[in-house]
Amino acid sequence: MKIFLDHANPEIIRRYSPVIDGVTTNPSLIAREPCFTGYQEAIKQIASLVNGPVSIEVLSTDAEAMIREAEKLSSLSQNIAIKIPVGIEGFHAIKELTQKGIKTNATLIFSVNQALLAAKAGAGYLSIFVGRLDDTGQDGVSVVRDTVQVVKNYGFKSEVLAASIRHPLHVMQVALAGSHVATIPPGVIDQMGKHPLTDRGLDIFQNDWKKGGKRE
């Protein structure tokens, strides 16, 4: 499973570069970073830090405006994927952008049916918001699992992307469900790399070395 980092800070992106395959971000994340002076400048800098795709969100809501905005954003770097919200307007935009060779990421998906329509429109990624579904009492992971099966059943080229990841268990669950990608915040990646037995083992090794009176 590919791992994307859900963030915008350049230093944080560099820190996690050994384990990430791309980045997802949005205007809200970029606005929080004082190092950026403008939206396009931020996108260019973020795109230069990773070899994989960088998903950037449009602000428009009607198809024609989304297409125009997407064309401008995609021209900033070859590895840009445009996040388009699902819905009839979004599907029109995804279809036309795909025909133009612009990679799309269908976002704000909360059902298999939404994912199916986005896949038929040609979306490169199908972003399912697992944590937000869980917040409403639904099972976000099951939507990921079922969408993966639909993609397999009909040979869609779309990749299922698990978003709104809240904790390491989510990551393990969507990986087992067959998700092609998970976009994960830095704190959860930190948690994934930790285990109390790892810390205990390091302490034991260091203490044994010191007791033996050895030097580095």
Side-chain angles (χ1 to χ4, degrees):
M1 184 177 72
K2 298 173 190 172
I3 291 178
F4 292 173
L5 180 69
D6 193 30
H7 216 275
N9 183 279
E11 290 304 316
I12 290 178
I13 293 171
R14 290 189 187 96
R15 178 183 177 188
Y16 295 95
S17 60
V19 295
I20 64 172
D21 303 287
V23 169
T24 58
T25 192
N26 57 57
S28 297
L29 290 174
I30 290 173
R32 294 173 195 163
E33 301 301 331
C35 61
F36 297 131
T37 57
Y39 193 50
Q40 292 191 7
E41 178 261 336
I43 293 170
K44 287 180 181 178
Q45 187 171 344
I46 292 169
S48 71
L49 297 174
V50 292
N51 292 324
V54 175
S55 287
I56 304 295
E57 195 155 356
V58 296
L59 300 175
S60 307
T61 54
D62 65 277
E64 289 187 6
M66 283 191 279
I67 292 165
R68 288 195 300 270
E69 190 177 347
E71 288 174 333
K72 290 179 181 179
L73 293 174
S74 65
S75 69
L76 299 175
S77 177
Q78 293 183 345
N79 56 335
I80 296 292
I82 306 297
K83 293 166 75 174
I84 303 288
V86 293
I88 294 301
E89 293 294 314
F91 299 143
H92 277 289
I94 289 168
K95 184 76 170 180
E96 186 163 337
L97 290 170
T98 301
Q99 290 173 345
K100 291 175 179 285
I102 296 174
K103 187 93 168 181
T104 57
N105 180 343
T107 190
L108 293 173
I109 293 176
F110 295 97
S111 72
V112 176
N113 283 332
Q114 288 178 316
L116 173 60
L117 293 175
K120 286 184 69 65
Y125 299 103
L126 309 172
S127 287
I128 299 167
F129 283 60
V130 176
R132 293 194 199 181
L133 279 164
D134 288 357
D135 290 343
T136 65
Q138 300 177 74
D139 185 357
V141 173
S142 70
V143 176
V144 171
R145 183 181 300 109
D146 291 346
T147 301
V148 168
Q149 187 60 53
V150 168
V151 168
K152 287 181 180 178
N153 285 353
Y154 300 102
F156 290 121
K157 295 180 181 179
S158 307
E159 293 185 79
V160 177
L161 190 158
S164 187
I165 297 293
R166 302 284 176 77
H167 44 70
L169 181 59
H170 268 161
V171 180
M172 183 183 74
Q173 289 173 326
V174 299
L176 290 170
S179 188
H180 303 98
V181 190
T183 184
I184 309 173
V188 174
I189 294 180
D190 284 339
Q191 291 176 306
M192 290 169 62
K194 294 179 180 178
H195 195 284
L197 291 178
T198 302
D199 295 337
R200 183 182 175 189
L202 287 172
D203 288 340
I204 290 171
F205 295 153
Q206 291 175 357
N207 288 333
D208 287 346
W209 186 259
K210 291 175 182 177
K211 287 177 184 178
K214 304 296 184 181
R215 295 181 179 179
E216 292 184 0

